[in-house]
Amino acid sequence: MKSKSSSSSKARQRKANRGSIAETNVRGAGQRVAVLVLGDIGRSPRMQYHALSLAKAGHSVDLIGYPGSTPMEGILASPNITIRHLPTPPQPPPSAPRVLFYLFAPLKVVYQLVVLFWTILATIKRPDFILVQNPPTIPTLLVARVCAAITRARLVIDWHNYGYTILGLKLGPDHPVVSLARRQVFEQCFGKSAYAHLCVTDAMASDLRSNWGVSGKLIVLHDKAPRHFRRLDTAEIHKLWTRLLADSHFSQLLLHTSDGAGAVESLLTSRHKDGTVSMRKDRPMLVVSSTSWTADEDFSILLEALALYDEAAIVLKSQGERLRRLVVLITGKGPLRGFYESEIARLQLGSVSIVTAWLSAEDYPLLLGSADLGISLHTSSSGLDLPMKVVDMLGCGAPVCAYKFSCIHELVTGDNGLVFSSAPELALQIQDLAAQLSYPDGRYSRLLQGAAQFRKIDWDTHYTRALELFQ
C-alpha cells in the first residue's frame, strides 16, 4: 500500500520531480521498474536514491523491501513510487542459543523465496526492469534472475559489495558456508549474466571484469549525495541546534551553552540583540560519525582516539594552553550499539562530550551540514566498496577522517579529508584540525574547500549515465 503524506508535501515534491533528470531523459520515460531491497527500505539510502531518480525520469517504480525506519520524504510523496512492504520473516528470540539461529536460517530463506516470488510475480504489474541490490545475495539474486526470466524483464544488479565477504563477518572466515560462498558459485551463477551491472567503485568494476567474467553493460556509479545535502549557513545552524537542544537526547550538551551580554547561545552559535547570528569563538568542534554498529566498524578506535585527545587537553592545560572542546555525535542503529554505549559510559572525559542518537531522514543532512568534521571507521569486508556515510559528509561540506583501506582513495583524496590507520594517528589528526578550525589559511580551511568542491557534482547529475540503461 502506498505510504501517505500531506497534500502540500506531495505538491512540493511533484514540483521538485520536474527537475534535471526528468528533463534529460524523456526517451526512457514510461518503463516499469521493480527496485528490490532485501532490507529496511528507510535504511537503504542508495536504493531510495535509485527509486527517486527513476521516478523523476517518469518511470513507475515498485520499491520492494522491509518496513522499519521511515523512508525519505521524497519517496513517500512521489506519485511514481509505490512502496511494497515485505512481511518480516520469523526469527528466534535474541536470547536463543546460537544453534537455533542456524536451524532457522534455511527456514528463513524458504520463507523469503515464497514471499519474493509472490510479490514480484503476483502482486505488482509485470516489470520491464528489475533493479536488485547485492548483497544480500541469498536468495535475492536467485529470485531476481528467475523472475526476470519469467517476466522477460531486464535484470540490473547494483553491486554494493560481495555477499560472501559480508557472510564472513557474521559467521567467521573459516565457516563451511563461507568457504563455499567464497568460491563465488552462487553470485557468479545468478549474477554475472545480468543485463547490466552498477558498481560503487572503479576497483569493484575491475574485479568483476577480470575475476568474475561478467557480461552485460557495466557502469561505475560512485555514491553521491542528493541535491538537498549541503552546508548550512550560520542562521540555519543556530535554528537547528536551538531545536535539537530542546530534545532530551541532546540535553547533556546544554553545558556547552550560556547566555550573556545580550546574546542567546546555541551549541555553536550566538544570536545577538540586533537579530544577527555568528559562530561562537569559544564553541566546541562538532564531530559526527554515522554507523550501523556492525562488526566491520571498530568503534574502539574512535573511543581510544577521543581518550588520547582528552589526555592531550589535560597536558596542554597544565602548560597554560587550551585545546578546543569536542562534541562527538554518533548516529545510527545496529546490533553493537548497546555494547559501545556501555563503553562510552565508562569513559571519564573532561574535554569531550559523546552523544549517541538516531536522527530522522530530514534531520540527518542538517546535522551533517552543521558539522565541522566527519569520521568514518568503515573498513570494507571486500576492500572494494566505499562508505556512503563519507559521501553524505562530503556532500554536506564536512571534511572527513576515514579509516584507511585499499580503495578509500577513490573518495577521500587528501584534498577533502585525511586517512588514518590507528587511534593515535586519528587523535593527532583531530587535534591538528581542531587547533586550526578558525584559521582562514590553515589545513582545515583547505579541506573545507575540498569538501565544497566534491559536492558540486550531486547524485542527480551523476545519475544520468545510469538512466540510459532503463530505456
Side-chain angles (χ1 to χ4, degrees):
M1 183 175 179
K2 175 91 176 165
S3 298
K4 295 181 179 179
S5 181
S6 66
S7 58
S8 60
S9 176
K10 286 185 177 181
R12 289 195 304 271
Q13 189 62 32
R14 289 190 189 105
K15 184 177 180 181
N17 283 354
R18 294 195 292 268
S20 61
I21 286 184
E23 296 167 359
T24 57
N25 192 49
V26 176
R27 287 187 303 159
Q31 306 290 343
R32 295 200 63 89
V33 184
V35 178
L36 178 57
V37 186
L38 201 62
D40 182 345
I41 291 175
R43 294 175 64 188
S44 304
R46 181 174 167 102
M47 300 310 286
Q48 291 184 78
Y49 297 153
H50 277 302
L52 279 171
S53 296
L54 291 166
K56 287 179 183 179
H59 302 311
S60 297
V61 177
D62 287 294
L63 182 54
I64 304 167
Y66 292 122
S69 304
T70 304
M72 300 169 185
E73 183 180 350
I75 295 287
L76 300 176
S78 174
N80 287 349
I81 298 175
T82 302
I83 295 176
R84 307 284 184 176
H85 279 148
L86 301 170
T88 304
Q91 294 274 18
S95 58
R98 188 165 184 174
V99 66
L100 194 58
F101 285 88
Y102 291 138
L103 294 175
F104 258 79
L107 298 176
K108 178 182 176 181
V109 170
V110 172
Y111 180 90
Q112 290 174 324
L113 281 169
V114 173
V115 168
L116 288 172
F117 278 127
W118 176 260
T119 300
I120 298 175
L121 298 179
T123 303
I124 67 173
K125 292 183 179 179
R126 187 185 71 81
D128 300 298
F129 293 87
I130 297 175
L131 172 59
V132 60
Q133 168 187 315
N134 184 74
T137 302
I138 301 172
T140 322
L141 283 187
L142 166 63
V143 171
R145 165 54 62 198
V146 173
C147 288
I150 293 174
T151 62
R152 297 182 182 178
R154 289 177 169 177
L155 176 61
V156 180
I157 300 176
D158 190 21
W159 295 88
H160 295 200
N161 206 335
Y162 295 150
Y164 73 91
T165 65
I166 299 294
L167 201 59
L169 287 177
K170 295 180 179 179
L171 301 179
D174 299 324
H175 193 280
V177 175
V178 177
S179 299
L180 178 64
R182 190 180 291 116
R183 299 171 189 169
Q184 307 168 355
V185 174
F186 193 93
E187 282 175 289
Q188 274 198 333
C189 178
F190 296 107
K192 73 174 186 178
S193 60
Y195 166 71
H197 307 267
L198 302 173
C199 302
V200 293
T201 63
D202 293 317
M204 180 171 285
S206 176
D207 189 65
L208 284 172
R209 286 192 192 100
S210 59
N211 297 326
W212 290 57
V214 298
S215 60
K217 301 178 181 180
L218 199 155
I219 292 178
V220 177
L221 185 67
H222 286 110
D223 283 314
K224 292 288 182 180
R227 189 165 294 170
H228 68 280
F229 277 51
R230 61 181 179 82
R231 193 78 180 160
L232 300 188
D233 62 36
T234 306
E236 290 172 321
I237 292 174
H238 185 81
K239 180 180 179 181
L240 170 70
W241 277 103
T242 299
R243 175 167 59 84
L244 290 181
L245 289 177
D247 188 315
S248 60
H249 289 98
F250 302 94
S251 58
Q252 72 182 76
L253 299 180
L254 287 169
L255 61 89
H256 292 281
T257 67
S258 62
D259 298 342
V264 177
E265 287 192 350
S266 185
L267 181 67
L268 309 173
T269 55
S270 294
R271 180 169 56 81
H272 307 283
K273 282 184 176 180
D274 61 0
T276 60
V277 178
S278 62
M279 301 299 290
R280 290 168 42 197
K281 291 183 179 179
D282 65 338
R283 69 181 181 86
M285 182 180 191
L286 178 58
V287 179
V288 175
S289 186
S290 176
T291 178
S292 53
W293 299 107
T294 52
D296 64 343
E297 293 179 308
D298 184 0
F299 256 78
S300 64
I301 295 174
L302 175 58
L303 300 187
E304 183 184 345
L306 296 177
L308 291 171
Y309 184 96
D310 197 65
E311 291 174 8
I314 294 172
V315 172
L316 288 173
K317 185 176 181 180
S318 69
Q319 299 171 352
E321 299 182 43
R322 178 178 172 272
L323 191 57
R324 190 181 294 268
R325 292 170 299 156
L326 297 183
V327 168
V328 181
L329 205 158
I330 306 172
T331 73
K333 294 179 180 178
L336 296 179
R337 177 174 173 175
F339 169 77
Y340 280 112
E341 283 181 332
S342 65
E343 293 295 302
I344 291 169
R346 293 190 184 98
L347 295 175
Q348 300 294 323
L349 305 178
S351 297
V352 182
S353 298
I354 306 174
V355 177
T356 59
W358 170 255
L359 278 78
S360 69
E362 288 69 40
D363 278 344
Y364 177 60
L366 298 179
L367 171 69
L368 296 183
S370 70
D372 297 304
L373 180 68
I375 293 180
S376 169
L377 294 155
H378 179 89
T379 55
S380 177
S381 60
S382 65
L384 299 173
D385 73 312
L386 292 171
M388 183 67 194
K389 70 196 75 181
V390 173
V391 174
D392 291 339
M393 293 166 183
L394 293 174
C396 289
V400 173
C401 291
Y403 193 88
K404 185 178 181 179
F405 62 93
S406 57
C407 67
I408 190 65
H409 64 276
E410 291 189 32
L411 184 56
V412 181
T413 62
D415 294 326
N416 54 29
L418 308 172
V419 296
F420 60 89
S421 301
S422 66
E425 188 176 7
L426 174 59
L428 288 174
Q429 289 175 355
I430 299 173
Q431 187 174 337
D432 179 49
L433 296 177
Q436 300 186 49
L437 194 63
S438 301
Y439 293 177
D441 298 319
R443 187 183 200 182
Y444 178 78
S445 179
R446 291 193 295 272
L447 294 179
L448 204 61
Q449 293 170 16
Q453 189 70 25
F454 174 87
R455 72 170 307 276
K456 286 186 176 180
I457 300 178
D458 59 23
W459 173 268
D460 285 352
T461 304
H462 192 53
Y463 202 73
T464 52
R465 289 183 63 217
L467 278 176
E468 296 173 2
L469 297 174
F470 298 92
Q471 295 177 2

